Amino acid sequence: MSRVYNFSAGPAVLPEEVLKQAAAEMLDYNGSGMSINEMSHRSKTFDKVIETAEQDIRDLMNIPDNYKVLFLQGGASQQFAAVPMNLMQNKKAAYIVTGQWAKKALAEAKKYGDAIEVASSADKTFSYIPDCSDLAIPEDADYVYICENNTIYGTKFKKLPNTKGHILVSDVSSCFLSEPVNVNDYGVIYGGVQKNVGPAGLVISIIREDLIRDDVPDFVPTMLKWKTQADNGSLYNTPNCWAIYMCGLVFKWLKEQGGLSEMQKRNEEKAALLYNFLDNSKLFKGTVRAEDRSLMNVPFVTGSDELDAKFVAEATANGLVSLKGHRTVGGMRASIYNAMPKEGVQKLVDFMESFEKANS
Ligand SMILES: *Cc1c(COP(=O)(O)O)cnc(C)c1O
C-alpha cells in the first residue's frame, strides 16, 4: 500500500487513523456483527452513533444549547435552496458574492424572493474579500449571506461582515472545523462535510432555534423544511448513516489532536510554509490578496499554462496529487485541510523549489 499526499479540494484527504478504524470496523461494528452500512438507522446502535457525533461537534465548536445541529443530505448545494425557503419571511435577502459558490447560492435564492447582491469581488476574479463594514443592507432583509472560505479562489473572511443587526448565514464548507468560531455570531452555519470533515453526501447545518419555523411557505418540500429535520433528530427519513459515522470518527480524532485551537495552530503553520515560499519564489506566485488568504485552499500559478501543466504532471509522478486548479481558474491549487500533515506541505514546497531550479 502506498498513500499519496492528496491536495484535492473535495472529496479530500481524511485522517489515516480514521480510515484505519473504519476499515477495522467494517465487518463488525462494535460487536453488532454487522457493518454500519447494514444497520437500521433506528437501531439503538445507530442512535448512539448519531448522538455521540452531535455531542462531539457541540463540544468541538462550543455550540450553544439554543442551536440545533442537523445532519442532512443534498450537500451544501441543497442548502442554497433550503436557506431562502426557511428564512425568507419578508422575501428579501442580502448576498455577498465572493466566488462561484456564493453566486450559485444567490441564483438559487432569487427563485424564492428578492435576493440582492450587496457586495462582490467579481471585478478582480474574486481574488479578495470586499470591504463589508458598511454595506447597503435593506432594512427588511431576512438575512445576510456569505461563503466564508472560497474553495475555488482561496479567499477567506478574516472578519465577519457588519450585518447591521440582521442574521448572518454562512457556508463554511471548506473551513469547517479548521479553527475555533463563535457560533453566536451566526444565525446559520452550514457546510458540506466532504471538504474538511468527512465523506461526501452529508451537510451539517447548525441553526439558531428561533430560525427553525413552522410557518414556511406551503411549497417548501417536507424534506427541506428545517423543522421537519429538527423535530425528528435528523431521522425523518433514512440519513447518510455512513457519512455520519465517519464524521463521528473525525470528531473524536479532532478531540484527541487537541481540538480546534490546535487545528488552527497547525493550519496556520502549514499555510505559512506554502505562502512564505510563494512570496519568495521567482517562478510561482499566489493569486490572492495577502490579507484575505485562506488557510485551507491555496491557488498559485507560474504564469505559463504549459509550465503549470508540466508542474502538475511531475508533482503527480512524485506522489503529490490533485494539484490542478479549478477548471474555471486554471493554474494550481493546494488544498491543505486538517488531515493534511505538515510533512505533506513540506514535501510540496521542496518539490516546488526543485521544479523552480530546473525550469528557470
Ligand atoms: C464544495 C462546496 C459547495 C458544494 O458542495 P456540495 O456538497 O457538492 O453541494 C458549496 N460551497 C462551498 C464553499 C464548497 O466548497
Side-chain angles (χ1 to χ4, degrees):
M1 182 197 72
S2 128
R3 302 252 312 150
V4 292
Y5 287 115
N6 175 9
F7 296 92
S8 171
V13 57
L14 289 167
E16 208 165 292
E17 294 94 322
V18 165
L19 295 173
K20 282 182 177 150
Q21 187 176 346
E25 294 177 338
M26 184 57 86
L27 295 183
D28 177 7
Y29 175 71
N30 204 13
S32 64
M34 61 178 91
S35 162
I36 207 88
N37 288 308
E38 302 170 296
M39 189 177 290
S40 166
H41 59 296
R42 310 217 179 269
S43 62
K44 283 218 161 56
T45 309
F46 187 74
D47 268 348
K48 182 117 192 286
V49 170
I50 192 168
E51 279 162 18
T52 307
E54 176 172 343
Q55 190 55 54
D56 285 337
I57 192 175
R58 283 186 177 279
D59 296 346
L60 283 165
M61 291 179 72
N62 206 4
I63 300 174
D65 289 343
N66 64 323
Y67 284 74
K68 293 274 191 215
V69 177
L70 305 182
F71 296 94
L72 307 173
Q73 298 188 56
S77 301
Q78 182 100 290
Q79 295 301 297
F80 294 171
V83 164
M85 283 181 181
N86 284 277
L87 293 181
M88 270 188 175
Q89 293 291 302
N90 298 329
K91 295 209 165 296
K92 193 165 281 183
Y95 279 68
I96 298 171
V97 177
T98 52
Q100 297 294 344
W101 296 119
K103 216 162 130 180
K104 284 190 172 166
L106 169 63
E108 194 68 25
K110 281 184 170 167
K111 296 180 177 218
Y112 309 107
D114 186 12
I116 59 165
E117 180 183 291
V118 290
S120 166
S121 51
D123 60 335
K124 290 182 182 155
T125 336
F126 300 118
S127 60
Y128 69 103
I129 298 290
D131 178 4
C132 298
S133 57
D134 185 20
L135 301 172
I137 298 165
E139 199 70 37
D140 58 346
D142 293 301
Y143 60 89
V144 174
Y145 183 100
I146 61 170
C147 175
E148 198 158 330
N149 185 80
N150 295 281
T151 325
I152 297 173
Y153 299 96
T155 58
K156 160 100 202 288
F157 280 84
K158 301 291 165 78
K159 189 168 177 277
L160 294 176
N162 174 5
T163 64
K164 301 187 171 170
H166 297 85
I167 63 155
L168 181 64
V169 176
S170 180
D171 173 359
V172 298
S173 294
S174 50
C175 59
F176 220 172
L177 303 176
S178 64
E179 59 184 28
V181 291
N182 183 10
V183 175
N184 279 312
D185 290 342
Y186 305 82
V188 181
I189 306 180
Y190 76 92
V193 302
Q194 76 275 20
K195 307 290 163 66
N196 199 28
V197 187
L202 177 68
V203 52
I204 300 179
S205 284
I206 301 159
I207 309 170
R208 213 174 66 200
E209 249 163 21
D210 59 297
L211 302 172
I212 299 177
R213 358 179 23 122
D214 202 24
D215 59 342
V216 299
D218 271 348
F219 69 79
V220 176
T222 309
M223 284 287 293
L224 290 189
K225 186 171 168 180
W226 286 334
K227 187 148 198 322
T228 308
Q229 303 291 356
D231 286 351
N232 290 281
S234 304
L235 294 169
Y236 172 73
N237 73 332
T238 320
N240 186 334
C241 300
W242 170 252
I244 293 167
Y245 156 77
M246 286 294 286
C247 285
L249 295 185
V250 172
F251 299 156
K252 290 277 186 230
W253 179 81
L254 287 168
K255 281 182 150 182
E256 280 159 20
Q257 302 300 304
L260 301 193
S261 315
E262 176 62 22
M263 280 301 125
Q264 177 173 28
K265 183 170 151 269
R266 291 184 198 177
N267 289 328
E268 283 171 351
E269 281 171 14
K270 287 186 288 178
L273 260 181
L274 190 44
Y275 285 124
N276 287 341
F277 174 80
L278 288 170
D279 288 342
N280 292 301
S281 168
K282 291 204 171 58
L283 179 64
F284 296 100
K285 77 177 202 313
T287 56
V288 170
R289 184 167 78 180
E291 62 262 41
D292 300 324
R293 286 166 163 175
S294 165
L295 294 182
M296 299 279 96
N297 310 99
V298 183
F300 55 95
V301 295
T302 64
S304 145
D305 289 349
E306 211 174 298
L307 268 186
D308 286 353
K310 185 172 181 220
F311 174 80
V312 170
E314 290 183 14
T316 306
N318 280 274
L320 305 164
V321 312
S322 305
L323 282 162
K324 196 168 179 320
H326 189 268
R327 59 197 147 80
T328 61
V329 202
M332 281 74 70
R333 171 179 49 174
S335 295
I336 49 176
Y337 296 123
N338 285 344
M340 171 59 65
K342 193 171 174 187
E343 303 82 77
V345 181
Q346 187 61 57
K347 272 230 155 161
L348 173 62
V349 167
D350 292 346
F351 178 72
M352 290 167 78
E353 210 163 3
S354 65
F355 185 88
E356 181 167 339
K357 279 205 186 93
N359 291 277
S360 54

